[in-house]
């Protein structure tokens, strides 16, 4: 017989091969029990470093034996990898992975350095809960330890013109974007692809009941009569409570101003969707040759011949641009659609929809202030003008607020500037007390007023960079908004960095300040909840300060213009010093800061930095008449 031992564990069984010998007739012995113990069944246990012989002897004849020399080294315990990155997935609020530990996996005790970010159970299974970093430590019974650094990140999903929607049925959040990309999330942190996302326009996509060119054949017959190809832009989803269906409103365009908005419906938020009809069209040929391919005649209750002679066949670029539709319910349960773009002069428009069908509803009566070549403020086909042509991607978000006479504010988000990867794009905010307006900015300018891009609307976010951020964030736009059904509100948008042409979408939490204006948290949402109040003692200190500009940034490919942070101190006596001088005041979580003759009102909260470390810190966000400021607490 012979025996061997090759394992690297603290206890193991000997490998014994018996030849013409019965197993029960063999005894085992260690030459040094202080180094190695062995049972009569051949199980060896390492005691300390050293070496010893294990001998197997035939009980009936001690001359028949075999032995093996076993070296015992100092016991080491280690994870298979010293670092691990976990990407939060979207179908669950947490993502779990198993860590591999070499050593006493079952008897080790595990701990996490940051249980807000990461939890670990007794079997070494880690559960990621939010973005950040934590160190997992395993400790053996004899005091040996091993560490693994775990980073929790979100997937960088390239969804353009993201339109976020909370499904009231499942509670999940769906984000749809141009070119048929989509994602799903349980908590607005982690995301997973949804609705055949990634298939885009390929025949493998199951987002529609047919291939997209067949599904929207009627719309393509108008926008691309010489052959349909791609160009499905900025879909927006809503659950129609009367239809008990999910309705998608999508732009079908030729790449220019020949566009239409169509609707499709589905029993599920991620499809498949079935075409229902056209809502509105723009860019008709001025000779009226293609107006019969639109829904102008049916929408207005006139003949094709009358439509061909109407102003709608002759407007050209004076019509609204029928893209970027978003749909919402008002506080009375009525369904509306807002749409439009800066690419034509028709402005941002509002249409009444039919709650039962999800298609066009009652037409506006002509307000009579138009001409043969221009639209009236209220137009029967194109609807009501609620804002000028400064921006695109309009999104109306209803939020309850006691400061409004109706008990609600309707916040109009738009993106203005040229869509370019070097930072010209930016978001603007206006509001009204009713869905039809009038919409105003904090200066009191009405949204339909003929003002330049830089002069109208509260600029939500400049191109900016805190000193500890690797890159500046630029060109934020394609905005949409949602809520969690429990009081939290959010804005979602696509953004680029100063060092990359690619884009990803981010979600930031928003808050109403004391004047009822929404202010945006500096960093992307990571599960934070604002407290009712904060203490002055904890708030006072040194801060990095971003003074967002209202002006339209004219940047170039070589000069990606952005605002760099400056240093100020919020002194305990209520004064402000450093790069700017002034005063500050805290009431609960509401924050007011006075700099020179200007006053900014906002909120204070704790957030996790938008860096690899994800450190938790105090931040402020506040808005004045036309400018937003943001601060983060930093040590000197």
């Amino acid at each position: 017989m012979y025996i061997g031992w090759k394992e690297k564990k603290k206890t193991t069984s000997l490998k014994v091969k018996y030849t013409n010998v019965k197993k029960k007739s063999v005894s085992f012995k260690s030459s040094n029990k202080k180094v190695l113990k062995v049972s009569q069944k051949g199980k060896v246990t390492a005691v300390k470093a050293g070496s010893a012989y294990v001998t197997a002897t035939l009980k009936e004849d001690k001359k028949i034996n075999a032995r093996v020399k076993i070296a015992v080294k100092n016991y080491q315990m280690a994870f298979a990898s010293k670092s691990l990155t976990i990407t939060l997935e979207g179908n669950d609020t947490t993502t779990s992975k198993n860590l591999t530990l070499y050593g006493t996996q079952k008897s080790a005790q595990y701990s996490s350095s940051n249980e807000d970010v990461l939890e670990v159970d007794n079997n070494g299974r880690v559960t990621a809960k939010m973005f950040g970093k934590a160190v997992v430590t395993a400790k053996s019974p004899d005091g040996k330890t091993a560490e693994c650094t775990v980073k929790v990140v979100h997937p960088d999903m390239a969804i353009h013109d993201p339109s976020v929607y909370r499904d009231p049925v499942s509670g999940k959040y769906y984000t749809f974007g141009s070119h048929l990309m989509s994602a799903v999330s349980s908590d607005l942190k982690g995301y997973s692809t949804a609705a055949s996302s990634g298939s885009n326009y390929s025949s493998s996509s199951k987002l529609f009941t047919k291939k997209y060119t067949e599904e929207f054949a009627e719309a393509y017959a108008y926008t691309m009569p010489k052959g349909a190809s791609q160009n499905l832009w900025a879909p927006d989803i809503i659950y129609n409570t009367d239809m008990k269906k999910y309705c998608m409103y999508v732009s079908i365009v030729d790449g220019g101003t020949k566009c239409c908005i169509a609707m499709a419906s589905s029993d599920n938020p991620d499809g498949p969707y079935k075409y229902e009809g056209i809502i509105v069209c723009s860019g008709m040929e001025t000779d009226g040759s293609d107006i019969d391919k639109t829904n102008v005649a049916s929408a207005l209750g006139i003949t094709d011949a009358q439509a061909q002679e109407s102003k709608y066949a002759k407007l050209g670029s004076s019509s609204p641009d029928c893209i970027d539709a978003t749909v919402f319910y008002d506080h009375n349960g009525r369904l509306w659609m807002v749409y439009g773009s800066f690419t034509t002069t028709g402005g941002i428009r509002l249409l009444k929809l039919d709650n039962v069908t999800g298609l066009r509803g009652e037409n506006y009566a002509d307000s009579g202030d138009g001409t043969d070549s221009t639209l009236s403020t209220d137009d029967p086909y194109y609807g009501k003008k609620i804002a000028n042509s400064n921006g695109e991607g309009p999104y109306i978000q209803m939020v309850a607020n006691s400061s409004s006479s109706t008990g609600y504010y309707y916040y109009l988000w738009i993106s203005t500037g040229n869509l370019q990867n070097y930072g010209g794009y930016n978001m603007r905010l206006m509001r009204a007390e009713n869905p039809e307006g009038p919409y105003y900015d904090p200066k009191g300018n009405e949204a339909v007023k003929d003002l330049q891009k830089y002069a109208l609307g509260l600029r939500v976010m400049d191109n900016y960079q805190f000193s500890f951020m690797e890159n500046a964030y630029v060109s934020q736009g394609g905005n949409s908004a949602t809520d969690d059904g429990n009081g939290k509100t959010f804005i979602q948008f696509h953004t680029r960095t100063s060092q990359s042409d690619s884009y990803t979408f981010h979600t930031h939490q928003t808050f109403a300040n004391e004047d009822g204006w929404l202010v945006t948290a500096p960093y992307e949402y990571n599960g934070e909840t604002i407290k009712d109040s904060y203490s002055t003692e904890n708030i006072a200190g040194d801060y990095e300060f971003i003074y967002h500009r209202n002006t339209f940034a004219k940047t170039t490919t070589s000069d990606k213009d952005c605002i760099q942070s400056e240093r100020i101190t919020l002194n305990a006596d209520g004064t402000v010093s450093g790069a700017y001088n002034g005063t500050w005041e805290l009431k609960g979580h509401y924050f007011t800061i006075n700099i020179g003759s200007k006053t900014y009102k906002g909120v204070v909260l704790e957030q996790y930095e938008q860096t690899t470390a994800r450190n938790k810190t105090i931040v402020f966000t506040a808005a004045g008449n036309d400018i937003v400021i943001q601060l983060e607490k930093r040590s000197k």
Side-chain angles (χ1 to χ4, degrees):
M1 67 179 173
Y2 67 84
I3 58 176
W5 190 70
K6 296 189 288 186
E7 302 296 328
K8 295 182 179 178
K9 298 179 181 178
K10 192 170 183 179
T11 62
T12 189
S13 294
L14 289 168
K15 182 179 180 182
V16 182
K17 185 175 181 180
Y18 300 94
T19 304
N20 299 321
V21 173
K22 292 182 179 180
K23 185 176 180 180
K24 293 182 179 180
S25 63
V26 176
S27 65
F28 296 90
K29 183 179 180 180
S30 170
S31 65
N32 190 340
K33 294 182 180 180
K34 293 182 178 180
V35 172
L36 198 71
K37 294 179 179 179
V38 61
S39 73
Q40 290 308 303
K41 291 184 178 181
K43 183 178 181 180
V44 296
T45 302
V47 179
K48 68 176 184 177
S51 64
Y53 286 97
V54 173
T55 303
T57 303
L58 187 63
K59 295 178 182 178
E60 300 166 349
D61 187 349
K62 294 184 181 180
K63 292 181 181 181
I64 301 176
N65 59 61
R67 72 174 185 170
V68 63
K69 184 178 181 180
I70 299 176
V72 178
K73 297 180 180 180
N74 284 326
Y75 175 73
Q76 297 293 323
M77 182 170 64
F79 285 107
S81 176
K82 291 185 178 180
S83 63
L84 174 70
T85 298
I86 297 177
T87 301
L88 280 180
E89 298 169 359
N91 288 311
D92 300 297
T93 57
T94 60
T95 301
S96 297
K97 301 286 183 182
N98 283 323
L99 290 177
T100 300
L101 180 70
Y102 293 126
T104 54
Q105 174 101 18
K106 293 183 179 180
S107 58
Q109 293 182 334
Y110 296 87
S111 62
S112 169
S113 65
N114 189 338
E115 292 190 348
D116 289 340
V117 172
L118 198 74
E119 290 181 344
V120 58
D121 67 14
N122 291 331
N123 295 313
R125 186 169 181 81
V126 294
T127 300
K129 300 189 295 182
M130 64 167 56
F131 316 139
K133 183 170 66 175
V135 176
V136 174
T137 301
K139 187 175 182 180
S140 67
D142 59 356
K144 299 291 193 303
T145 61
E147 291 184 347
C148 180
T149 300
V150 182
K151 294 179 182 178
V152 182
V153 301
H154 62 71
D156 287 331
M157 289 195 169
I159 295 182
H160 203 263
D161 300 324
S163 181
V164 62
Y165 164 69
R166 181 176 62 85
D167 178 14
V169 179
S170 68
K172 291 186 176 181
Y173 301 87
Y174 288 84
T175 296
F176 282 80
S178 294
H179 309 299
L180 307 185
M181 296 295 289
S182 59
V184 62
S185 175
S186 293
D187 53 12
L188 291 176
K189 293 184 291 183
Y191 281 87
S192 298
T193 55
S196 299
S197 186
S199 300
N200 295 98
Y201 299 104
S202 74
S203 58
S204 63
S205 174
K206 305 301 181 185
L207 186 57
F208 303 109
T209 58
K210 306 173 186 175
K211 185 181 179 182
Y212 73 98
T213 51
E214 298 173 8
E215 196 71 64
F216 295 99
E218 181 183 37
Y220 275 118
Y222 166 65
T223 61
M224 298 183 195
K226 294 182 179 180
S229 65
Q230 303 187 4
N231 285 6
L232 289 176
W233 289 356
D236 185 65
I237 311 295
I238 194 169
Y239 181 71
N240 187 302
T241 54
D242 287 271
M243 297 172 65
K244 307 298 182 187
K245 286 183 177 290
Y246 297 89
C247 294
M248 172 191 288
Y249 297 83
V250 62
S251 307
I252 297 96
V253 306
D254 69 348
T257 58
K258 187 178 286 294
C259 316
C260 75
I261 296 168
M263 192 270 275
S265 69
S266 173
D267 293 326
N268 298 291
D270 50 359
Y273 284 85
K274 180 183 179 182
Y275 176 76
E276 298 288 356
I278 290 175
I279 306 292
V280 65
C281 300
S282 62
M284 289 77 111
E285 299 294 335
T286 54
D287 61 2
S289 60
D290 62 353
I291 200 166
D292 61 320
K293 295 180 180 179
T294 73
N295 68 335
V296 169
S298 60
L300 298 181
I302 58 178
T303 66
D304 286 341
Q306 289 172 320
Q308 195 170 26
E309 296 300 318
S310 70
K311 71 165 62 177
Y312 304 108
K314 304 175 178 65
L315 282 172
S317 62
S318 294
S319 70
D321 202 358
C322 292
I323 62 172
D324 295 345
T326 58
V327 179
F328 64 98
Y329 283 102
D330 68 13
H331 60 277
N332 293 314
R334 189 169 190 174
L335 195 60
W336 304 83
M337 185 182 87
V338 61
Y339 70 97
S341 171
F342 66 87
T343 45
T344 59
T345 61
I348 303 299
R349 295 268 168 172
L350 187 73
L351 279 174
K352 303 171 185 176
L353 297 183
D354 187 312
N355 282 45
V356 176
T357 67
L359 297 170
R360 290 181 67 100
E362 177 189 3
N363 293 332
Y364 279 97
D366 196 320
S367 57
D369 53 345
T371 67
D372 290 341
S373 59
T374 62
L375 290 176
S376 299
T377 301
D378 292 354
D379 178 79
Y381 182 66
Y382 285 117
K384 185 180 189 68
K385 184 178 181 180
I386 61 171
N388 66 21
S389 301
N390 280 357
E392 65 177 2
Y395 200 100
I396 293 177
Q397 179 187 23
M398 181 187 74
V399 180
N401 193 294
S402 59
S403 298
S404 169
S405 63
T406 61
Y408 298 87
Y409 279 125
Y410 292 84
Y411 295 99
L412 173 62
W413 305 87
I414 64 169
S415 297
T416 188
N418 294 323
L419 177 54
Q420 53 203 18
N421 62 9
Y422 46 89
Y425 217 34
N426 66 97
M427 299 177 289
R428 304 272 168 156
L429 180 64
M430 291 157 279
R431 75 180 186 194
E433 296 185 341
N434 290 285
E436 296 177 288
Y439 287 84
Y440 294 96
D441 69 11
K443 278 187 172 181
N445 295 316
E446 191 174 354
V448 294
K449 194 172 180 179
D450 186 17
L451 291 173
Q452 295 299 312
K453 295 175 182 177
Y454 69 86
L456 181 64
L458 177 68
R459 184 171 184 178
V460 179
M461 203 174 292
D462 199 345
N463 307 321
Y464 71 98
Q465 183 177 22
F466 286 102
S467 68
F468 48 85
M469 292 168 57
E470 184 177 354
N471 297 308
Y473 284 101
V474 302
S475 205
Q476 299 92 351
N479 43 251
S480 63
T482 191
D483 63 77
D484 71 346
N486 295 305
K488 285 186 178 181
T489 56
F490 307 90
I491 182 174
Q492 191 173 92
F493 54 92
H494 62 243
T495 183
R496 293 176 167 90
T497 70
S498 57
Q499 301 300 316
S500 174
D501 292 342
S502 62
Y503 55 85
T504 57
F505 72 87
H506 287 176
T507 303
H508 288 228
Q509 193 171 179
T510 58
F511 308 90
N513 69 9
E514 287 184 291
D515 293 335
W517 282 99
L518 291 182
V519 292
T520 304
Y523 303 125
E524 60 186 332
Y525 179 64
N526 198 12
E528 302 92 347
T529 297
I530 196 168
K531 296 179 181 178
D532 291 334
S533 63
Y534 296 83
S535 68
T536 301
E537 293 75 15
N538 289 336
I539 297 304
D542 298 306
Y543 286 82
E544 289 210 9
F545 179 89
I546 295 285
Y547 217 140
H548 294 273
R549 301 162 299 183
N550 193 51
T551 54
F552 173 60
K554 296 181 179 179
T555 58
T556 66
T557 53
S558 60
D559 178 22
K560 294 182 173 68
D561 174 75
C562 69
I563 289 295
Q564 301 288 338
S565 61
E566 301 172 275
R567 285 274 182 152
I568 66 170
T569 300
L570 302 184
N571 299 300
D573 63 0
T575 60
V576 178
S577 59
Y580 299 91
N581 295 316
T583 59
W584 68 281
E585 182 182 8
L586 181 68
K587 290 189 290 186
H589 61 234
Y590 291 112
F591 171 74
T592 300
I593 186 170
N594 301 290
I595 298 176
S597 61
K598 295 187 175 182
T599 298
Y600 304 91
K601 294 182 179 181
V603 298
V604 56
L605 71 151
E606 289 181 285
Q607 268 206 293
Y608 298 87
E609 287 178 348
Q610 206 158 320
T611 62
T612 302
R614 295 283 181 179
N615 295 318
K616 194 173 184 179
T617 186
I618 295 287
V619 297
F620 293 89
T621 177
N625 283 344
D626 58 351
I627 293 175
V628 172
I629 64 171
Q630 292 174 331
L631 302 85
E632 182 189 312
K633 194 171 188 180
R634 305 292 290 178
S635 59
K636 287 188 175 181

